[in-house]
Amino acid sequence: MQRYAISKADGSVAVMMLVPNAFTVEGLRFTATRIVDGMLLGSTKEMVVTPPGAVRTLIAKVPLDSPEVSYEYPPVADEIAKWPEAEQAQVNYVMQLTEAPPADRTFRNAWVLDGDKIGHDMGKAREIHRERMRAARAPKLAALDVDYQRADEGGKGEDKARIAAKKQALRDVTKDPAIDAATTPEQLKAVWPAVLEA
Amino acid sequence: MAIDFPASPVSGDTYSFGGRTWRFNGTGWERLGTAATASDTDPGVIEIAVQSEMEAASDVLRAVVPGRLQYHPGVCKAWVKYSTSGGTVSRDASYNVSSITDNGVGDFTHNFTAAFSSTQYLALGNHDATLGATINGARALNIHTLSTGSARVLHDNTGGAAEDPAYAIFMFFGDQ
């Protein structure tokens, strides 16, 4: 599988995966504009191929994951040219990736090109993390509002104070200094106060 | 009078002489059989449908071959199944799709090997019911952009936020 990183004018990074458009097996090259890839790649099925435009000749069955089958890919520039012009205009830089993108997509929209691989813009990652915290706390704050109102109607001052403290703790989660102190996505992901889990 | 095949023929041209017919196959003239044309009830010679006949979708006397089936307007022109489980986006299977681009969370572009003739084509899709691992579950699926060579699609959760599907499928119908 060939993958390319494409950095865009808005600072984002796209990852394009190319699908093979030809393959060679036992010295015969087959161009196929319409490969059903699931039947050629990624499965243990065997294939029987017929040379295109020739007398029908069945090639010996070849396991699809055999190293004897080599694949060709369309040029990445041709693939970008298939995008709408407005999106093509956003392309700043294209680079083939030699290693897979990060497996953890928690901070996917913070990906940036870091040398010859994909890294993270920690500033963006922190904002993503804070947004995730806000989303997680919103229903909890709403529920506590109801609890507070009930405590107020029941004249339960101690309950009101306890609920108010919990609400404040929820409001403060995005101010946790550990967020700014985190220097890696893993450290940042670990910053998740217990009050968000309760 | 001798047989006088036309000069500069193109593949598919036919020439009749003396009650016999030949068809140019790109390199030479092949004599066609003399049997009667096949019908619903009678055996006989049957022609192979060409692209225009497939696209017209009305002929009932010509045969369809695998390499031209895709020209029929009722046939799916491209399909793709992709997933994000395990983190990395992967193409599980596809047909007439030359690349998949991960633009960001819940944002993917599918390029076609054979492009559509216009943007008046149909995109149908779905994604898994357990979309996302965080909030709201699922499930809005939106077309961001349809161009002749690609389709960009967005996956959202019920809160309206972009979210990756564990897996998704798309089918495309139209004229190419």
Side-chain angles (χ1 to χ4, degrees):
Chain A
M1 176 62 65
Q2 284 191 358
R3 284 191 172 85
Y4 285 82
I6 302 169
S7 69
K8 299 184 178 179
D10 62 3
S12 65
V13 172
V15 177
M16 176 181 278
M17 295 162 285
L18 301 181
V19 176
N21 59 7
F23 62 98
T24 301
V25 57
E26 295 191 350
L28 288 173
R29 181 177 180 274
F30 298 88
T31 56
T33 56
R34 294 169 185 273
I35 295 176
V36 180
D37 296 282
M39 296 179 189
L40 293 174
L41 301 171
S43 82
T44 56
K45 275 188 173 180
E46 295 180 325
M47 62 180 174
V48 178
V49 290
T50 304
V55 175
R56 178 172 297 183
T57 303
L58 297 183
I59 306 296
K61 289 183 178 179
V62 179
L64 296 182
D65 56 356
S66 168
E68 296 166 8
V69 182
S70 62
Y71 297 94
E72 298 171 36
Y73 296 87
V76 65
D78 291 356
E79 291 304 300
I80 293 172
K82 293 176 181 177
W83 292 355
E85 286 187 14
E87 292 191 32
Q88 291 181 47
Q90 290 289 310
V91 174
N92 272 349
Y93 183 67
V94 180
M95 179 190 73
Q96 185 171 2
L97 291 171
T98 54
E99 60 182 73
D104 189 337
R105 292 173 61 81
T106 302
F107 303 111
R108 166 61 185 86
N109 287 355
W111 285 4
V112 289
L113 281 183
D114 180 11
D116 61 353
K117 60 184 180 181
I118 290 176
H120 288 82
D121 177 329
M122 287 304 296
K124 283 186 181 178
R126 290 186 188 97
E127 191 47 43
I128 290 169
H129 198 60
R130 288 189 172 99
E131 279 302 317
R132 198 159 284 155
M133 286 175 155
R134 291 182 187 111
R137 78 183 176 190
K140 298 181 187 303
L141 283 170
L144 287 171
D145 283 343
V146 174
D147 292 346
Y148 187 90
Q149 192 168 355
R150 284 179 180 152
D152 189 40
E153 290 167 355
K156 298 175 180 175
E158 286 185 13
D159 284 355
K160 284 171 63 178
R162 179 181 53 79
I163 293 166
K166 195 168 184 181
K167 288 175 69 176
Q168 190 57 49
L170 282 169
R171 290 191 195 100
D172 289 343
V173 291
T174 54
K175 299 172 186 167
D176 189 331
I179 296 174
D180 286 325
T183 57
T184 67
E186 293 75 21
Q187 289 174 6
L188 183 57
K189 195 176 172 182
V191 181
W192 197 260
V195 67
L196 290 173
E197 300 287 359
Chain B
M1 190 173 179
I3 296 174
D4 183 18
F5 292 115
S8 306
V10 296
S11 185
D13 282 357
T14 58
Y15 170 74
S16 296
F17 176 80
R20 289 161 289 168
T21 301
W22 291 260
R23 176 181 285 117
F24 190 69
N25 66 7
T27 55
W29 289 92
E30 289 180 325
R31 184 174 169 185
L32 301 179
T34 54
T37 301
S39 70
D40 287 346
T41 54
D42 298 317
V45 174
I46 188 163
E47 278 187 41
I48 292 171
V50 297
Q51 179 176 344
S52 59
E53 291 158 348
M54 291 297 297
E55 290 172 344
S58 58
D59 193 294
V60 294
L61 293 176
R62 291 174 174 81
V64 176
V65 291
R68 292 195 180 131
L69 176 65
Q70 74 272 17
Y71 295 122
H72 193 284
V75 170
C76 180
K77 298 302 193 295
W79 56 261
V80 61
K81 178 174 183 282
Y82 54 105
S83 60
T84 59
S85 55
T88 304
V89 176
S90 62
R91 172 191 50 80
D92 300 329
S94 64
Y95 170 74
N96 193 33
V97 169
S98 54
S99 64
I100 300 173
T101 301
D102 161 20
N103 299 301
V105 175
D107 184 343
F108 303 92
T109 300
H110 306 295
N111 280 11
F112 307 118
T113 304
F116 286 90
S117 59
S118 76
T119 57
Q120 300 303 320
Y121 63 89
L122 174 69
L124 292 171
N126 210 335
H127 47 203
D128 64 299
T130 55
L131 179 70
T134 53
I135 56 167
N136 288 327
R139 355 254 172 247
L141 189 54
N142 305 301
I143 302 295
H144 179 286
T145 314
L146 290 183
S147 65
T148 56
S150 66
R152 185 171 177 179
V153 299
L154 306 174
H155 303 265
D156 288 347
N157 61 33
T158 51
E163 198 147 324
D164 287 328
Y167 70 87
I169 55 174
F170 265 94
M171 298 180 290
F172 303 93
F173 292 82
D175 182 66
Q176 291 183 319

